[in-house]
Amino acid sequence: MSFVTLPEDHLRGGLAQAGLPTRSVNAVIAIQKRFLAGAFVPAAASEHMNWLR
């Protein structure tokens, strides 16, 4: 799997422009940061997703 790294402000702006609520945007940003740091763990992602419900 490959991905493109976007500056946080671009990613945040695009997600907000797409209509995602701030809470969801923040979760996506947090997950992206973990992924980029090499510390992405599916369980960590699910923690962020749980509080979105």
Side-chain angles (χ1 to χ4, degrees), residues 1 3-4 6 10-11 13 15-16 18 23 28-29 31-33 35-36 39 43 45 47 49-52:
M1 176 189 285
F3 65 94
V4 176
L6 296 175
H10 287 94
L11 180 58
L15 294 172
R23 194 173 189 178
V28 170
I29 296 295
I31 292 167
Q32 177 79 7
K33 284 181 178 181
F35 186 75
L36 290 172
E47 286 176 24
M49 301 313 282
N50 283 338
W51 60 264
L52 292 175

Side-chain angles (χ1 to χ4, degrees), residues 6-48:
L6 296 175
E8 182 179 333
D9 59 330
H10 287 94
L11 180 58
R12 187 175 293 281
L15 294 172
Q17 187 175 13
L20 270 71
T22 301
R23 194 173 189 178
S24 298
V25 171
N26 291 339
V28 170
I29 296 295
I31 292 167
Q32 177 79 7
K33 284 181 178 181
R34 285 186 175 169
F35 186 75
L36 290 172
F40 184 79
V41 178
S46 67
E47 286 176 24
H48 286 287

